Amino acid sequence: MPFTTQRKVRFQHCDPAGIVFYPRYFEMINSVVEDWFEEVLHHDFNHLHVETGQGVPTVSIETQFHAPSRLGERLRFELAVEAIGRSSLTLQISAYCGEQKRLTSRSTLVFMDLDSGQSMPWVEGIRQHITVDN
């Protein structure tokens, strides 16, 4: 079952034509991942990055934009886990307005020690909450 959350398209997300400027989608995607970490994995980014010195940078992202999104619309984002490795995590994130798909993104995150910059195995407190959606 995918993690689902909503985002309202705000003025800050749009270009002069009133449609989402594509880099803003990446900010929305990151906020969805951040919410998922807090609500599902029980590790908010402050605890993860500041308190433990660990992070999950995106090392790969591929995105298809299916239709424009406009100022004032509400987008439903769905996040599903495709795969988990020793230190990596592949996520599929889709955005919809109603039933119309607006974007599909596949990203890979790597769990790492922020001081050394080296990948590390997922800590059990996080790994135990990650469920691969098939």
Side-chain angles (χ1 to χ4, degrees):
M1 186 101 184
F3 171 74
T4 302
T5 188
Q6 291 195 11
R7 297 288 182 272
K8 182 178 181 178
V9 176
R10 300 186 180 282
F11 184 75
Q12 70 190 37
H13 300 128
C14 296
D15 63 16
I19 62 173
V20 173
F21 181 46
Y22 76 93
R24 301 295 176 242
Y25 275 122
F26 294 110
E27 293 171 348
M28 289 184 218
I29 289 167
N30 190 71
S31 72
V32 169
V33 171
E34 192 169 341
D35 288 352
W36 179 69
F37 263 81
E38 181 176 1
E39 295 174 30
V40 176
L41 305 184
H42 308 292
H43 281 74
D44 67 56
F45 272 23
N46 179 61
H47 173 76
L48 191 66
H49 292 81
V50 177
E51 295 175 18
T52 69
Q54 300 163 338
V56 287
T58 300
V59 298
S60 173
I61 191 164
E62 181 181 325
T63 305
Q64 292 79 41
F65 303 97
H66 306 291
S69 297
R70 301 185 185 286
L71 181 62
E73 292 181 329
R74 291 207 175 268
L75 303 178
R76 182 181 78 253
F77 282 83
E78 296 180 358
L79 179 154
V81 177
E82 283 190 356
I84 183 169
R86 181 188 78 82
S87 61
S88 66
L89 182 64
T90 302
L91 303 173
Q92 173 90 20
I93 300 171
S94 300
Y96 299 85
C97 185
E99 295 305 311
Q100 184 182 42
K101 187 179 274 191
R102 299 297 175 83
L103 75 80
T104 305
S105 187
R106 184 173 191 250
S107 62
T108 301
L109 312 178
V110 171
F111 190 64
M112 68 178 288
D113 177 85
L114 295 177
D115 289 333
S116 70
Q118 297 297 309
S119 67
M120 56 189 286
W122 289 101
V123 295
E124 193 55 36
I126 295 176
R127 187 179 195 88
Q128 70 186 11
H129 295 290
I130 298 173
T131 303
V132 178
D133 299 306
N134 290 332

